[in-house]
Amino acid sequence: MPHPQLSVHRHDRATRALITLAGEIDLATAPLVRAALAACMRDGIRTADVDLTAVTFCDGSGLNAFLTASQLATDAGMTVQLHYPPPTLARIIEITGSGFLLHELHAVRRPSRRVPAAVGGAP
């Protein structure tokens, strides 16, 4: 069975970094997340924006990596913000009271309960 993979890409603009993650974040790949965020701190980045659009899975070890990085970043005067988490991760963040990790404009929107007009719902 192949090991889960996680791609980590970083793009810097002055003192802000965009870290794009793609794949699965679990016990095997969470160290890559921690390393990417720690490198931002070492490099003097003030804000790390983490794009989770392409993350297909994230377990407790991934959440722990984000929480630990957030605490270390806060202590160093840096900010870590998660953008576009998959619905399962957004739910875990909500349940654990870790909503402070999410960038308020890019939190996952709840699915609409409205039935689309195309299948007999109200237009």
Side-chain angles (χ1 to χ4, degrees):
M1 176 186 261
H3 293 288
Q5 292 191 356
L6 179 69
S7 297
V8 180
H9 299 280
R10 178 176 152 187
H11 178 75
D12 293 357
R13 176 169 259 156
T15 60
R16 189 172 199 124
L18 172 63
I19 298 173
T20 304
L21 303 176
E24 299 182 7
I25 306 172
D26 58 15
L27 189 60
T29 60
L32 296 172
V33 174
R34 283 194 279 287
L37 293 168
C40 286
M41 284 183 251
R42 281 192 311 272
D43 296 344
I45 296 297
R46 305 310 300 158
T47 302
D49 295 300
V50 182
D51 182 354
L52 301 170
T53 304
V55 170
T56 56
F57 174 81
C58 183
D59 68 7
S61 56
L63 178 60
N64 186 47
F66 293 128
L67 289 169
T68 301
S70 178
Q71 183 59 55
L72 293 171
T74 298
D75 293 347
M78 180 184 159
T79 303
V80 173
Q81 298 179 332
L82 305 183
H83 300 262
Y84 308 112
T88 53
L89 178 56
R91 180 71 177 134
I92 292 169
I93 288 171
E94 179 184 339
I95 289 169
T96 60
S98 305
F100 61 89
L101 290 171
L102 296 175
H103 184 276
E104 60 191 43
L105 297 178
H106 298 154
V108 169
R109 286 183 234 136
R110 296 207 183 277
S112 172
R113 297 194 193 286
R114 191 172 68 90
V115 177
V119 292

